[in-house]
Amino acid sequence: EGLRLAQVSKPPSGVDISLPGRPVPMGRLHPVTQTFRDICAAFQSLGFEVVEGPEVEWDYYNFEALNIPPGHAARDMFSTFWVDYTDDRGGHPMLLRTHTSPMQVRVMEKTQPPVRVIVPGQVFRYEATDATHEAVFHQVEGLAVDESITLADLKGTLYEVARLLFGEERKARFRCTYFPFVEPGVDMAIDCAVCGGEGCRVCSGTGWLEILGAGMVHPDVLSRVGYDTRRYTGFAFGMGVERIAMLRHGIDDIRLFFQNDLRFLRQFR
Ligand code: YSA
């Protein structure tokens, strides 16, 4: 009986099909992709729609439409990769987008309020890297425009998303800051998960890690796209995706995400 079985299962090629198969390695999503998806799901649960936009952008959308004309000192906030682009009508300033905020303007040009969108995407800055800064990184932009939107809506939305992403335990902090395209402007920080708020190189000894800039959309930006600023107000924000992934997993160096070291990447889900 044993002999007959062996004869039946052995094909002419000599391959022994009774041997266990070679395991097929299972791929998994990069931790930044996982975080992107979790951020989008959190905002979608609050009624935001996901849209995407170009990575090579006009100076107009990246700067001018956001109240940063040529020569404005606020351009120094964004170290920029410029692109040479010339057609038969001459040269036009283009760049690798330094933030996802240009999509605020592109969306408003095409849509009438109420607007509730988020924009996940890659952004580029000509800057030296360290434990919390990369030259190529990811942001999620958010924009809500409607009648009677206030700073309280901005804070309520971002607190709720922080609760969904980080749990009840994490602390969130808002502080006033300056962006030319909002008034007032704020940034939001989360207490550092790497040191528990004691102070380390990730939080530069402060106990807090900044995750986003935000504010009430400046009336000049709204009127530039033709919105009636007596009727509509809005809030907007831009959050750093790697910073959020660092806080969620206690990662102490942003550069680990892009070194393609499988020992690091295999730890996530
Ligand atoms: C502000 C107001 C709005 O109405 C809308 C958006 C914004 C944010 C603005 N566009 C901006 O980019 N601000 S920012 O330069 O402070 O970056 C936002 C977030 O991106 C930071 O809080 C940080 O989490 C992350 N970030 C900034 N530079 C980074 C970085 N993450 C990794 N590497 C870098 N080099």
Side-chain angles (χ1 to χ4, degrees):
E1 189 60 24
L3 185 65
R4 260 186 54 219
L5 263 181
Q7 279 167 350
V8 170
S9 60
K10 200 154 191 183
S13 66
V15 175
D16 183 352
I17 60 170
S18 68
L19 284 173
R22 291 203 183 99
V24 179
M26 283 292 285
R28 65 191 79 197
L29 294 175
H30 191 279
V32 171
T33 307
Q34 293 176 15
T35 309
F36 252 138
R37 292 191 177 188
D38 293 343
I39 296 170
C40 290
F43 282 106
Q44 281 172 310
S45 76
L46 299 176
F48 285 76
E49 191 186 334
V50 180
V51 295
E52 288 181 284
E55 291 175 358
V56 183
E57 187 53 280
W58 299 106
D59 178 289
Y60 176 76
Y61 288 109
N62 197 85
F63 289 132
E64 285 190 52
L66 297 171
N67 289 345
I68 317 177
H72 193 289
R75 290 198 178 212
D76 291 348
M77 290 164 70
F78 303 98
S79 320
T80 308
F81 290 110
W82 293 97
V83 176
D84 278 335
Y85 175 71
T86 312
D87 64 13
D88 45 8
R89 285 169 300 156
H92 308 278
M94 289 199 94
L95 47 96
L96 301 184
R97 66 178 173 192
T98 58
H99 51 173
T100 40
S101 300
M103 274 301 285
Q104 289 185 31
V105 184
R106 286 181 176 274
V107 167
M108 288 192 286
E109 280 180 346
K110 292 221 162 71
T111 328
Q112 283 305 305
V115 175
R116 274 174 189 70
V117 292
I118 51 165
V119 189
Q122 197 164 38
V123 301
F124 309 84
R125 293 191 195 172
Y126 180 61
E127 62 183 330
T129 61
D130 61 23
T132 54
H133 292 84
E134 265 291 357
V136 179
F137 60 102
H138 299 84
Q139 289 186 337
V140 174
E141 190 79 8
L143 174 70
V145 185
D146 205 342
E147 293 177 11
S148 329
I149 288 203
T150 69
L151 191 69
D153 297 308
L154 166 66
K155 288 183 76 176
T157 304
L158 293 177
Y159 271 132
E160 176 60 12
V161 168
R163 197 184 61 77
L164 290 169
L165 292 175
F166 302 114
E168 305 279 351
E169 301 303 309
R170 278 264 114 74
K171 284 183 265 175
R173 181 191 74 180
F174 282 94
R175 286 194 311 184
C176 292
T177 192
Y178 171 72
F179 295 101
F181 38 101
V182 288
E183 182 56 41
V186 294
D187 67 40
M188 183 182 183
I190 302 291
D191 63 317
C192 182
V194 174
C195 62
E198 298 274 296
C200 64
R201 70 176 185 149
V202 171
C203 59
S204 310
T206 64
W208 297 92
L209 188 60
E210 184 198 303
I211 59 160
L212 62 87
M216 298 302 291
V217 183
H218 199 290
D220 288 354
V221 177
L222 294 177
S223 54
R224 200 168 284 122
V225 296
Y227 282 8
D228 179 353
T229 53
R230 286 162 306 177
R231 186 164 170 208
Y232 296 115
T233 51
F235 68 73
F237 54 85
M239 50 176 58
V241 179
E242 286 79 5
R243 299 269 180 99
I244 291 172
M246 289 171 78
L247 283 167
R248 294 179 86 194
H249 300 293
I251 296 165
D252 67 0
D253 198 318
I254 194 172
R255 291 164 290 199
L256 287 164
F257 287 120
F258 305 113
Q259 287 166 345
N260 273 341
D261 186 337
L262 290 179
R263 290 168 304 176
F264 171 74
L265 295 174
R266 283 199 178 117
Q267 297 176 78
F268 303 96
R269 267 185 221 159

